[in-house]
Amino acid sequence: MASRKFWHDLLFIGLILLVLGWEVSPLQAQSGKASSGDSPIAIVIHGGAGTIRRESMTAAMDSAYRAKLAEALQAGYAVLKKGGSSLDAVEAAIMVMEDSPLFNAGKGAVFTRAGTNEMDASIMDGKTLNAGAVGGVMHIKNPIHLARLVMEKTPHVLLVGEGAERFALAQGIALVPQAYFYTKRRWQSHLRGLERERARRQKQQKGGGTVGAVALDRQGNLAAGTSTGGLTNKMSGRIGDSPIIGAGTYANNRTCGVSGTGQGEYFIRLAIAHSISELMECQGLSVKEAAELVIMKKLTELGGSGGVIALDAHGRVAWPFNTEGMYRGYIGPDGKMVIKIYKDE
Amino acid sequence: MASRKFWHDLLFIGLILLVLGWEVSPLQAQSGKASSGDSPIAIVIHGGAGTIRRESMTAAMDSAYRAKLAEALQAGYAVLKKGGSSLDAVEAAIMVMEDSPLFNAGKGAVFTRAGTNEMDASIMDGKTLNAGAVGGVMHIKNPIHLARLVMEKTPHVLLVGEGAERFALAQGIALVPQAYFYTKRRWQSHLRGLERERARRQKQQKGGGTVGAVALDRQGNLAAGTSTGGLTNKMSGRIGDSPIIGAGTYANNRTCGVSGTGQGEYFIRLAIAHSISELMECQGLSVKEAAELVIMKKLTELGGSGGVIALDAHGRVAWPFNTEGMYRGYIGPDGKMVIKIYKDE
C-alpha cells in the first residue's frame, strides 16, 4: 500500500510540474542548479547603422557580415539556453563583434583626428539598474568586458582614459598596443576624412559600425550593452553616447533593454535609450511604438540619424532606424534566427 | 485739439503697455536693444546636497555660504534682467561658485584617491537641446565655461581628459596648475578618507558641494548647468553624473531645466534629470510633482541620496532633496531672493 501511495504521489507531483511548465534542462541538472525561471529567452544585436546600400556592397562583404552577426547571436543565445544571465549573453555577443575587424568596436575601431583609436562601451543590468561603462580607452581589447568590471568591481559607473586603463591593469587585464586596432579600411577612411576636411570644413562626421546587444534570460532579466570606436576623425577625448547610460544604452526589467547606434551627440541630447524606456512606463506604449516614436519622430525631427535595437520582457523586438541600413539580427522566443542589413528587407 | 488728441493717445498707449506688463528697463533702453521677450525671468542655484547639519556649522560658515550663494544668484540675475540669455546667466552664476573655495567645483574641488583634482561640468540649452560637457579635466579654472565652448565650437557634446584640455588651449584658455585647486579643507578630507579606507573598506564615498544653476530668460528659454570636483577619493578617471546630459543636467523649454547633486552613480542609473523632464511631458505633472517623485521616491527607493533644482518655463521652482541639507537659492519672477541651507527652513 505504502508503495502504491508513493507512486501515486510521484505521478501527481510530476503532473503539477508539467502544468507549471517547469523544465529541468540536462545542463541545469548537470550543474546542480535548477533554474527557477521560465521566461522566454531572446537576444537582439546590431552592428551599426549608416549609409549601407545594397548596390555598394559586394556579395562577399554581404555574407561576411551576415556570418559574423550569426556567430555573435549564437554566442549570446548559447548562454541564454544554458540558463545563463542576460548580462553574460550580451557580453558574449558583443565580444564576438569587438574581435571582428568588420565592426567599429575593438579590432576595427575608427581613428580619431589625431590618428589614435579611442573606444567607449557600456553595459546595464535591467534587474538592478546597475551599470558600468568606459570611455576613451586606447589599449583594451574588449571594452565591453572592462565596462562589466567597472559595474561589478567599483562603486562607479563610468571610468575614462588612463584611469580606466589603470583599473584594467589592476584587474589583471593585459593592455594591447594601439597597433592591434589597426585595419586598412578604417585607416583609409581616416585619411580620406582628413583630406575632405582640408578641402572644405566637413559638416558631418561618419559613424557606423557601433555594436550592441540586448538579451532576455530565463529569469526574465533584461540586459543591454554597446561598444564603439566612435566617429571617424572625432576629436581626441570625445565621448559619444555609447558609454552614456540613458543615451546609448539602457535596461530596465519593467520596460525594455535598448542599445543605440548613430550620431551620438543627438542620442545624448535626447537621452534616446532612457526615453524609450520612459515612454513605455509612462504612456503604456509597446516597445515597438516607443522605439519608433523616439527614432522616427524625435531623433529625425532634431536632424539626427541612427537606430536602436530594443527588446521587452516578453521577448518582443523593435529595431527602427532612419538610415539606409543597419546590421541587425535576433533570435526570438521561438528560437528562430533573423538577420538583416538593408532597409528594404 | 490736435494736441489734446495726442496726449489722449499717448495716455491710451501707456495704459495698454501697463496692462501688458511690458517693462522697458533702463539698461535695455541704454543698450538700444529692446527685448522682444516678455517671459518672467528666474534663476535657481545649488551648491551641493549632503550631510549639512545646523549644529555642525559655525555662524561664520553659515553666513559665508549664504553670502556666496547670494553673489552667484545676483550674477546670474543681472544677466537676465538686462535681457541676456539663460545660458549666460547659468554660466555667470556657476562661475562665481567655481571661483569660491567653499564649493566642490573649480577652486575647492575634492581630491581623487590618487591626490589629483579631476573636474566635470555640463551645460544645456532648453531651446535647441544643444549641450556641451567636459569630464576629468585637471587644469581648467572654469570647467563650465569649457563645457559651453564644447557646445558652441565643436560638433561634440562631451570631451574628456587631455583631449578636452588640448581643445581648451586651442580656444585660447590658459591652463592652471593643479596647485590652483588646492584647499586645506579638501586635502584633509582626502587624507581622512584614505585613513578610513585603510582601517576598513569605505562603503560610501562622500560628495557634496557640486554646484549648479537653472535660469529662465525673457525669451522664455531655459538653460541648466552643473559643475563639480566629484566624489572625495574617487578613482582617477571616474566620471559622475554632472557632465552627463540626462543624468546631472537637462533642459527643455517644453518642460523644465534641472541640475542635480548627490551620489552621481545613482543619478546616472536613473537618468534623473531627463526623467523629471519626461514625467512632465508624458504625464502632465508639475515641475514640483515630477521632481519630488524622482528624488523622494525613485532615487530614495534605489538607495541613492542627493537632490535637484528644477525650474519650469513659468519660473516655478522645485528643489527636493533626501539629505540633511542642500545649499540653495532662487530669485523668482517677483524679483525676491530666497536662500536656504538646512532641511528644516
Side-chain angles (χ1 to χ4, degrees), chain A residues 113-114 118 124 128-131 135-136 153-164 166-167 201 203 205 231 233-240 243-247 250 264-266 268-271 274-276 278-279 281-283 298 302, chain B residues 113-114 118 124 128-131 135-136 153-164 166-167 201 203 205 231 233-240 243-247 250 264-266 268-271 274-276 278-279 281-283 298 302:
Chain A
R113 193 181 295 183
E118 301 184 8
M124 185 165 189
T128 57
L129 304 186
N130 283 336
K153 309 283 186 191
T154 82
H156 302 317
V157 168
L158 175 55
L159 290 183
V160 301
E162 276 176 46
R166 270 198 295 273
F167 165 69
R201 195 83 195 147
K203 271 186 77 181
Q205 288 148 304
L231 294 173
N233 292 347
K234 64 183 178 184
M235 292 168 65
S236 179
R238 177 263 191 184
I239 301 281
I244 306 292
I245 297 301
Y250 208 70
E265 279 69 14
Y266 289 86
I268 295 176
R269 290 159 61 196
L270 290 169
H274 180 255
S275 199
I276 293 169
E278 201 74 0
L279 280 170
E281 186 153 12
C282 235
Q283 298 195 337
K298 289 194 178 190
L302 197 64
Chain B
R113 194 180 296 183
E118 301 184 8
M124 184 164 190
T128 57
L129 304 186
N130 283 335
K153 309 283 185 191
T154 82
H156 303 319
V157 169
L158 175 55
L159 290 183
V160 301
E162 276 176 46
R166 271 197 294 272
F167 165 69
R201 196 83 194 145
K203 271 185 76 181
Q205 287 148 307
L231 293 173
N233 293 347
K234 64 183 177 183
M235 292 169 66
S236 182
R238 177 263 190 184
I239 301 280
I244 307 292
I245 296 301
Y250 208 70
E265 279 71 13
Y266 289 87
I268 295 176
R269 290 159 61 197
L270 290 169
H274 180 257
S275 198
I276 293 170
E278 202 75 0
L279 280 171
E281 188 154 9
C282 236
Q283 299 195 336
K298 289 194 179 191
L302 197 64

Side-chain angles (χ1 to χ4, degrees), chain A residues 221-269:
Chain A
N221 294 324
L222 288 162
T226 310
S227 180
T228 190
L231 294 173
T232 301
N233 292 347
K234 64 183 178 184
M235 292 168 65
S236 179
R238 177 263 191 184
I239 301 281
D241 63 311
S242 300
I244 306 292
I245 297 301
T249 303
Y250 208 70
N252 186 338
N253 278 3
R254 294 169 59 181
T255 53
C256 64
V258 181
S259 169
T261 165
Q263 291 173 298
E265 279 69 14
Y266 289 86
F267 279 64
I268 295 176
R269 290 159 61 196

